[in-house]
Amino acid sequence: MMMEPSGFDISAPPQSGQFMLVVAGKPKGPYSLADLKTIGIKPGDFLKATGMDDYKEAHEIAELRQLFGFKQQALPMQYFGSFDQRMLASVIDWFIIFAAFLLPAFAAVYLAEDKQLRLLIALSLLVLVPLGKFVYHIVMESSDKQATYGKQLQKIRVTDVDGQRIDISKAFSRNFCKLLSTLPLFTGYLTAFFTPKRQCVHDIIAGTAVIKDRID
C-alpha cells in the first residue's frame, strides 16, 4: 500500500527537482527524489516534474528509470488514440483551416470588381488551404501542447514511439509523409487498425504515434 509522507503542503507548486505524484487518483506533493524513494514508487505510478506538460508513468521518465532501475515498458494499446478520435480531430482541423482561409477569401471576392481577380483568389485557395494545414500541423504538433486544436478537443496528442514530445523536424517528416498515406486512396490510414501502436503509414515512417491524455 502506498503511504504518503507527512509534513508536505499538498497545495504548494512543485519546485525544481520535485515531483507531483498521483495517489488514489489525485495529485499529491511536491515530493523530492528522496521522498519518492521512501514512498517506494512503482514503474506504473504517475508523476509530473517541473517543466513537464502532463503526467507520465515513472518508467517513462529517464531520471526515474536511472535512479530506480526501471525498464521502459511498451505502452498498452489502449493508450493510443483510436481511429475515430483521429478522424474527428481531422474533421475539426479542416473546419478550422477552411474558416481561416475561406472567410477572408469570400470578403476579397466580394470586394474585387475584376472577374479575373476573383477567379485568381478562388484558385489560390487550392494551394493555400493545403499549405496552411500542413504548416498548422507542424507548428501545433511540435508545440508544448503536442496537438492541433482538433486533437486537443479529442484529448489525444502526437509523440515519438517512446511517448516523448517531437521536434519540428519530426513533425515536418510526419506531415510530409501523409502523402504516402493519402495517395493510394487513403489506404495508408487503415494500418492504424492492424499495428500494435495504431500507427498510420506516415507514423511508421516518421517514428511517431498518437496517444491519449491519461490524466485529466
Side-chain angles (χ1 to χ4, degrees):
M1 179 178 179
M2 183 178 292
M3 301 296 293
E4 179 186 346
S6 60
F8 288 93
D9 180 5
I10 293 175
S11 63
Q15 302 299 317
S16 178
Q18 295 188 318
F19 294 79
M20 299 299 290
L21 171 67
V22 175
V23 180
K26 296 182 179 180
K28 305 288 184 179
Y31 301 133
S32 67
L33 290 173
D35 298 325
L36 296 180
K37 281 186 175 182
T38 301
I39 295 170
I41 62 170
K42 297 178 175 60
D45 290 336
F46 287 96
L47 303 98
K48 182 171 74 170
T50 304
M52 289 173 53
D53 297 323
D54 195 9
Y55 286 86
K56 293 184 178 181
E57 292 183 1
H59 71 86
E60 297 181 70
I61 303 173
E63 183 179 10
L64 299 182
R65 287 204 305 273
Q66 182 177 4
L67 182 63
F68 292 95
F70 296 149
K71 293 183 178 180
Q72 187 156 11
Q73 304 168 5
L75 293 173
M77 180 174 284
Q78 61 265 30
Y79 283 163
F80 296 97
S82 67
F83 185 84
D84 291 346
Q85 286 177 307
R86 297 176 67 162
M87 180 65 71
L88 286 173
S90 181
V91 170
I92 294 170
D93 289 328
W94 273 114
F95 179 82
I96 292 172
I97 295 300
F98 272 121
F101 281 93
L102 288 181
L103 293 179
F106 281 139
V109 168
Y110 177 78
L111 295 174
E113 296 182 358
D114 185 77
K115 291 184 178 180
Q116 289 186 342
L117 180 57
R118 291 180 179 178
L119 179 60
L120 180 62
I121 293 172
L123 292 176
S124 68
L125 292 176
L126 297 176
V127 176
L128 293 177
V129 170
L131 180 61
K133 190 171 186 293
F134 180 69
V135 174
Y136 163 74
H137 275 268
I138 293 172
V139 172
M140 296 297 290
E141 290 172 4
S142 61
S143 70
D144 291 341
K145 295 295 185 180
Q146 300 176 252
T148 60
Y149 291 117
K151 286 184 174 67
Q152 290 177 46
L153 289 173
Q154 291 299 311
K155 298 186 181 300
I156 55 178
R157 52 194 167 90
V158 179
T159 70
D160 64 15
V161 291
D162 294 320
Q164 304 300 312
R165 176 181 170 183
I166 63 173
D167 59 21
I168 197 166
S169 63
K170 189 173 282 288
F172 178 92
S173 175
R174 177 179 191 270
N175 286 281
F176 183 79
C177 289
K178 284 183 179 179
L179 288 172
L180 300 177
S181 293
T182 304
L183 289 178
L185 300 177
F186 296 92
T187 54
Y189 288 92
L190 300 181
T191 58
F193 289 106
F194 309 107
T195 52
K197 296 181 179 180
R198 294 182 174 176
Q199 293 169 293
C200 300
V201 165
H202 55 273
D203 288 312
I204 296 172
I205 296 173
T208 58
V210 176
I211 67 173
K212 298 177 182 178
D213 288 331
R214 289 161 286 166
I215 299 292
D216 294 327

